[in-house]
């Protein structure tokens, strides 16, 4: 079934922005959302109006998402993409590294306009969206009568399965579809908040509950698979990232300098927290997208550094709200991480002489162990197809390669990497890079 997208017009203030429409901002949570107690007219939903769903058709897809590396709009896009195209499709959202760049007004900023990010997500994940009119909860239920799921963005203040319910107004996305006489909500958001954790899950809602959580003017879009997810050439993507990194220094310096000058102004610290939070998740998702690439471990280390800075930014923001002075060290650390990321992005795109040397050793020792010419080994699809090959000869070859490279393979070898020469090269490249990273600290 093809999902649809819906946005709710809500006056939620979020990270210094007014959340009013999907084309205004990319809705994610950071401190700075408008927080207030629930009024007497806004009664919380009670069971059996909503309850956790024990079993549902989205369970496998939901559990396969890297939800901890996605923001709250991306999670639902990712859910739709993986359900349509298969596990791991959503990781393509992490292929790009973002750096500050000048906007239409010449000001340096981290995040591109949300409509551009949404269009990029549709292209990368092989989805398309078409607007459909629906003005409120009953209208959305009418749309659901056709059996199509809806992708909804509503005010988190009204969503009882979230820790924000009754505490903070902000835009938040989820999927909803018919579920017998009730409705199934699937929400893949993963985050920790001052009111408790938000974790991926599914819940069933009564018709009354649907009308209560979708309160306001609603825009719906039919989001469904297009031709298929975009095929990404990893080398080309890394080269494109390097090009962006090489050009990013002027905008990066302008961006961090502006933050230093304006950090004490109202709302600026919330913008900083939002940018760092998003960069932390983007770096984590990039590491997941790299998968078995030798640099995945380096990028994971960068993501951990951004996560630490994200925690630091929350502490600075909380102290400033309590009357504390701005801490410029936060901006210094932000600038340092951005410049280090730029250097790494450029490095990842450069041909690796280490990788070439490793491949040459693997090939040479395979040939020597089996007594074969290099042309024969290169032309064979699988190791088992090589003349004279068996598991004993493989062990002999691995021993010889380890001695030549002075690098031992890990104990938890992946069977697929022992299938062909390319896989064996990947194993030794990764082991060599890890050994180098350990030796350099």
């Amino acid at each position: 079934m093809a999902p649809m997208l819906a946005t709710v017009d809500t006056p939620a203030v979020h990270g210094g922005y007014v959340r009013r429409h999907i084309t205004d901002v990319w809705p994610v949570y950071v401190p700075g959302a408008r927080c207030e107690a629930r009024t007497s007219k806004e009664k919380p939903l009670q069971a059996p109006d909503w309850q956790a769903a024990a079993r549902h058709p989205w369970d496998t897809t939901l559990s396969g998402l890297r939800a901890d590396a996605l923001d709250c709009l991306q999670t639902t896009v990712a859910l739709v993409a993986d359900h349509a195209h298969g596990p791991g499709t959503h990781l393509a959202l992490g292929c790009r590294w973002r750096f500050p760049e000048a906007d239409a007004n010449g000001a340096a900023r981290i995040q591109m306009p949300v409509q551009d990010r949404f269009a990029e997500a549709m292209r990368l994940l092989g989805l398309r969206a078409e607007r459909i009119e629906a003005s409120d909860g009953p209208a959305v239920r009418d749309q659901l009568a056709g059996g199509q799921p809806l992708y909804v963005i509503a005010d988190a203040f009204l969503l009882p399965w979230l820790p924000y319910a009754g505490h903070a107004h902000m835009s938040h996305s989820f999927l909803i579809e018919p579920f017998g006489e009730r409705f199934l909500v699937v929400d893949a958001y993963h985050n920790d908040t001052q009111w408790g954790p938000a974790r991926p899950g599914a819940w069933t809602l009564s018709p009354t509950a649907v009308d209560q959580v979708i309160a306001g003017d609603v825009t719906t879009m039919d989001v469904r698979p297009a031709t298929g997810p975009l095929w990404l050439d990893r080398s080309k993507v890394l080269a494109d990232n390097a090009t962006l990194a090489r050009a990013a220094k002027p905008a990066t310096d302008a961006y961090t300098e502006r933050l230093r000058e304006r950090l004490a102004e109202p709302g600026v610290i919330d913008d900083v927290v939002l940018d760092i939070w998003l960069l932390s998740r983007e770096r984590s998702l990039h590491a997941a997208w790299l998968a078995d690439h030798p640099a995945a471990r380096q990028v994971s280390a960068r993501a951990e550094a951004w996560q630490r800075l994200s925690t630091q930014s929350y502490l600075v923001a909380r102290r400033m709200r309590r009357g504390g002075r701005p801490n410029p060290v936060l901006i210094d650390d932000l600038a340092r991480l951005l410049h280090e990321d730029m250097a790494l992005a450029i490095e990842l795109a450069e041909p690796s002489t280490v990788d070439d040397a490793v491949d040459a050793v693997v090939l040479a020792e395979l040939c020597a162990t089996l007594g074969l010419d290099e042309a024969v080994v290169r032309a064979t699809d699988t190791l088992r197809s090589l003349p004279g090959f068996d598991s004993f000869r493989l062990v002999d070859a691995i021993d010889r390669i380890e001695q030549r490279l002075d690098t031992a393979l890990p104990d938890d070898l992946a069977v697929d990497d022992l299938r062909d020469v390319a896989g064996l090269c990947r194993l030794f490249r990764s082991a060599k890079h890890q050994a180098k990273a350990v030796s350099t600290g």
Side-chain angles (χ1 to χ4, degrees):
M1 291 183 293
M4 302 177 189
L5 174 69
T7 64
V8 175
D9 186 5
T10 169
V13 177
H14 188 217
Y17 299 101
V18 177
R19 303 303 201 200
R20 289 196 177 275
H21 195 272
I22 190 173
T23 57
D24 292 337
V25 287
W26 192 258
V28 291
Y29 173 71
V30 294
R34 181 161 58 84
C35 303
E36 59 188 55
R38 189 186 296 274
T39 68
S40 59
K41 293 182 180 180
E42 295 170 317
K43 297 180 180 179
L45 293 174
Q46 302 292 334
D49 287 331
W50 74 283
Q51 54 192 346
R55 300 177 64 181
H56 56 88
W58 295 83
D59 184 59
T60 300
T61 305
L62 186 66
S63 63
L65 296 183
R66 275 298 308 270
D68 60 333
L70 300 166
D71 67 43
C72 77
L73 184 60
Q74 288 177 318
T75 50
T76 310
V77 173
L79 188 68
V80 174
D82 275 28
H83 190 72
H85 300 306
T89 301
H90 72 285
L91 296 178
L93 291 170
C95 68
R96 304 293 183 192
W97 275 33
R98 302 195 190 282
F99 300 98
E101 58 184 47
D103 62 16
N105 298 318
R109 56 183 294 177
I110 290 286
Q111 298 304 319
M112 63 193 295
V114 69
Q115 61 268 34
D116 293 344
R117 290 193 69 189
F118 187 76
E120 180 184 61
M122 294 293 102
R123 180 178 61 85
L124 288 172
L125 301 183
L127 303 174
R128 63 181 179 85
E130 179 182 352
R131 179 169 175 167
I132 295 177
E133 296 298 330
S135 59
D136 52 21
V140 169
R141 289 193 287 110
D142 287 344
Q143 292 284 350
L144 290 171
Q148 302 284 41
L150 290 173
Y151 176 152
V152 180
I153 300 178
D155 185 357
F157 188 91
L158 301 175
L159 308 181
W161 60 88
L162 291 176
Y164 310 130
H167 295 290
H169 290 281
M170 65 198 71
S171 297
H172 186 86
S173 77
F174 57 90
L175 196 74
I176 185 170
E177 69 178 2
F179 198 68
E181 296 182 354
R182 296 170 67 84
F183 298 88
L184 180 71
V185 162
V186 186
D187 190 337
Y189 190 51
H190 184 292
N191 196 20
D192 293 317
T193 81
Q194 66 194 83
W195 305 286
R199 293 295 183 266
W203 298 264
T204 63
L205 275 65
S206 68
T208 299
V210 172
D211 292 350
Q212 186 169 336
V213 302
I214 303 178
D217 293 332
V218 179
T219 300
T220 65
M221 282 190 279
D222 179 2
V223 178
R224 65 178 65 217
T227 56
L230 186 67
W231 183 81
L232 296 170
D233 181 324
R234 192 159 58 182
S235 296
K236 184 178 186 307
V237 172
L238 293 178
D240 290 344
N241 288 341
T243 299
L244 291 174
R246 291 187 185 95
K249 187 178 185 305
T252 298
D253 292 344
Y255 165 76
T256 52
E257 184 59 33
R258 178 175 60 86
L259 292 180
R260 287 190 185 93
E261 295 172 354
R262 300 180 53 197
L263 189 58
E265 297 180 13
V268 173
I269 184 60
D270 292 323
D271 292 345
V272 173
V273 172
L274 173 62
D275 284 352
I276 294 174
W277 187 86
L278 286 170
L279 285 171
S280 170
R281 296 212 161 194
E282 285 186 355
R283 294 330 189 225
S284 293
L285 195 61
H286 188 66
W289 175 75
L290 284 172
D292 61 351
H293 191 281
R297 187 173 183 271
Q298 292 174 274
V299 178
S300 293
R302 303 300 306 147
E304 291 173 3
W306 280 104
Q307 289 163 7
R308 291 191 294 271
L309 186 63
S310 183
T311 300
Q312 179 185 344
S313 72
Y314 280 109
L315 294 175
V316 171
R318 185 174 67 175
R319 289 169 182 163
M320 288 182 64
R321 290 191 199 96
R322 294 176 177 177
R325 298 176 61 183
N327 185 353
V329 174
L330 175 66
I331 308 304
D332 294 339
D333 290 343
L334 171 59
R336 175 178 56 81
L337 289 188
L338 284 171
H339 281 280
E340 289 175 355
D341 280 3
M342 289 157 54
L344 179 56
I346 294 170
E347 177 186 330
L348 296 184
E350 295 174 347
S352 173
T353 55
V354 172
D355 287 351
D356 292 343
V358 168
D359 291 356
V361 169
V362 171
L363 195 62
E365 294 306 326
L366 272 176
C367 292
T369 301
L370 299 174
L372 299 174
D373 291 336
E374 181 178 322
V376 174
V377 175
R378 287 184 178 277
T380 304
D381 291 335
T382 66
L383 291 173
R384 289 194 175 278
S385 300
L386 291 170
F389 179 88
D390 57 32
S391 57
F392 298 104
R393 300 288 75 72
L394 175 61
V395 172
D396 290 343
I398 289 175
D399 285 344
R400 293 172 65 117
I401 298 167
E402 287 179 332
Q403 291 177 15
R404 282 276 305 274
L405 295 176
D406 193 24
T407 302
L409 290 182
D411 295 331
D412 54 341
L413 297 178
V415 175
D416 287 346
D417 284 331
L418 297 175
R419 180 179 180 276
D420 53 27
V421 177
L424 198 57
C425 288
R426 281 195 301 270
L427 280 175
F428 276 102
R429 287 179 196 166
S430 179
K432 194 69 175 177
H433 280 279
Q434 291 182 23
K436 180 181 179 181
V438 170
S439 65
T440 57

